[in-house]
Amino acid sequence: MLDVKRIYAEDAALELPRGQEVLGRWPDAEIVPVASHWNIPEVHGDERNVQRWVRIKTEALVLGVKKSLVTRPNGRSADFIAPSTANGCAMACAYCYVPRRKGYSNPVTVFANIEQITKHVARNIAKQGPKTEPNQCDPDAWVYDIGENSDCSVDAMISDNVRDLCDLFRMTPTAKASFATKYVNRDLLDWDPMGRTRIRFSLMPHETAKVTDIRTSPIAERIAAVNDFVDAGYEVHLNFSPVILTPTWESDWAELLRQVDDVLSPAAKAQLAAEVIFLTHNQPLHEVNLGWHPKAEDLLWRPDLQEQKVSQNGAVNVRYRSGLKGQLVERFRELVAEHLPSCRIRYAF
């Protein structure tokens, strides 16, 4: 997954203990000083990097300081989005939205000022007080997404940032951490989260994942891990995302849902819930993908089925057409009810 040869580092990050810890994991890596983790010309914004998309993710790591610490309300998957402790990913899913802001490459950026981040999150949790009304995020606890711009299971291989945040929530009775992942990191099974961290394993049909989920854990491995993570004290939900229309999408999803139903233990099913997210794509990412993985675009770029829509953050994306989308969501709910009846759908869009 990672063979780090170059670490692009801000001076401020190198001065912090977490920055030094990260350097210690790859003592032979070349350290390249940079003024800003957002502005590295040879990594970001160079169209020639399209041909080296995966290699850069493997060999490059960025070390920076998170300067803006903001916890944002959400209301869908989580009540709040916590400040990121990392940005980017070593995996290379063809539909990933994170690289849209970075240009032509998206290696992991680790933020070394973890103490500032955890203190900020702790203050925000204290400010909320107890949760008095249940909602779709959770009936009892305030849910904080800690992995909006990265995959925390992979981040945990690079630094202790994710564990530090999970340890904070472990001791916080009014809130819980949450993150979606496509990677099975069994080191997390030793963390004893005491039910205060929700892991959402992302799933899609196997054949589709082979084309679009690059460098991720196989779907069967993700499904098999659910029981172990529940037994280890995690709350484990599923993230049916993205749902991509293919000629056989209904039968493919039905088969996947039956597999989940066969594998999950009674304990896992008793706490199970899921979110359903249909594909969102955009033209700049489509054009990047054509340079390194055009086969994926045969599935992702469907002008005959898609229309433009401005997202909540102001980005212009393409999604399945509104009339069609409603029918698709309803059909997906029916598939889950038929083939995985133990699974409550928290939301679908």
Side-chain angles (χ1 to χ4, degrees):
M1 178 66 72
L2 289 165
D3 182 18
V4 177
K5 299 184 183 302
R6 295 175 308 285
I7 299 177
Y8 299 88
E10 295 177 347
D11 287 343
L14 293 176
E15 294 171 359
L16 294 170
R18 183 54 39 88
Q20 289 298 310
E21 290 172 16
V22 171
L23 293 185
R25 298 198 180 194
W26 290 280
D28 297 327
E30 175 190 5
I31 301 173
V32 182
V34 296
S36 170
H37 66 84
W38 273 114
N39 186 18
I40 307 174
E42 66 187 87
V43 175
H44 307 146
D46 186 346
E47 64 183 14
R48 293 170 297 181
N49 284 336
V50 171
Q51 301 298 330
R52 303 171 58 242
W53 189 264
V54 172
R55 178 174 293 182
I56 289 176
K57 287 173 169 289
T58 303
E59 298 180 351
L61 185 67
V62 182
L63 192 57
V65 170
K66 179 86 171 169
K67 297 177 177 62
S68 177
L69 301 183
V70 178
T71 294
R72 309 189 327 267
N74 180 250
R76 277 182 170 169
S77 179
D79 293 291
F80 301 100
I81 306 295
S84 301
T85 61
N87 184 294
C89 188
M91 295 181 285
C93 298
Y95 47 77
C96 181
Y97 65 87
V98 176
R100 297 174 192 173
R101 295 182 62 194
K102 284 191 173 182
Y104 291 94
S105 186
N106 185 35
V108 178
T109 296
V110 179
F111 297 124
N113 54 326
I114 183 62
E115 290 189 8
Q116 286 183 306
I117 295 172
T118 53
K119 287 177 181 178
H120 167 90
V121 174
R123 287 193 299 268
N124 191 277
I125 294 171
K127 180 181 176 181
Q128 306 310 318
K131 191 175 195 176
T132 58
E133 295 183 8
N135 61 14
Q136 69 177 21
C137 303
D138 194 85
D140 305 307
W142 298 110
V143 180
Y144 286 73
D145 193 316
I146 63 171
E148 181 188 33
N149 294 315
S150 64
D151 190 302
C152 289
S153 295
V154 176
D155 296 343
M157 300 166 60
I158 301 170
S159 80
D160 289 333
N161 281 359
V162 178
R163 182 160 194 173
D164 288 348
L165 270 179
C166 289
D167 283 348
L168 167 67
F169 284 93
R170 181 176 181 269
M171 305 306 296
T172 306
T174 61
K176 63 177 62 170
S178 177
F179 63 87
T181 184
K182 299 180 181 71
Y183 185 76
V184 178
N185 182 349
R186 291 188 168 272
D187 290 343
L188 276 61
L189 294 172
D190 298 326
W191 287 9
D192 189 20
M194 298 176 62
R196 309 314 299 176
T197 293
R198 173 188 294 167
I199 293 181
R200 291 139 40 219
F201 280 108
S202 296
L203 300 180
M204 67 168 59
H206 304 266
E207 293 304 314
T208 305
K210 280 193 220 178
V211 178
T212 63
D213 277 21
I214 311 301
R215 288 166 57 83
T216 63
S217 295
I219 295 294
E221 184 179 350
R222 299 182 215 174
I223 297 171
V226 172
N227 294 338
D228 294 336
F229 276 81
V230 170
D231 292 344
Y234 289 91
E235 182 181 44
V236 182
H237 287 185
L238 300 177
N239 190 356
F240 298 134
S241 168
V243 180
I244 300 169
L245 291 195
T246 69
T248 57
W249 77 274
E250 287 192 47
S251 59
D252 292 345
W253 274 102
E255 180 182 354
L256 176 66
L257 293 167
R258 288 193 295 268
Q259 180 182 358
V260 175
D261 190 51
D262 289 342
V263 171
L264 263 55
S265 67
K269 290 180 179 179
Q271 54 87 72
L272 189 63
E275 51 201 64
V276 181
I277 305 171
F278 278 75
L279 174 70
T280 297
H281 201 25
N282 77 359
Q283 187 160 352
L285 183 59
H286 165 64
E287 292 172 354
V288 169
N289 286 347
L290 288 176
W292 77 279
H293 190 27
K295 185 177 179 180
E297 289 306 295
D298 292 339
L299 300 180
L300 303 178
W301 191 252
R302 295 290 307 277
D304 57 319
L305 300 175
Q306 294 165 332
E307 64 183 3
Q308 281 195 353
K309 184 167 183 177
V310 179
S311 67
Q312 290 179 333
N313 63 9
V316 178
N317 298 318
V318 293
R319 300 179 182 179
Y320 297 121
R321 292 175 184 160
S322 56
L324 173 64
K325 177 81 170 287
Q327 298 173 20
L328 296 173
V329 170
E330 183 58 31
R331 180 56 184 144
F332 197 94
R333 287 182 179 275
E334 292 172 355
L335 290 171
V336 173
E338 180 179 356
H339 301 290
L340 186 60
S342 61
C343 185
R344 171 175 58 92
I345 295 179
R346 291 200 294 115
Y347 73 95
F349 73 95

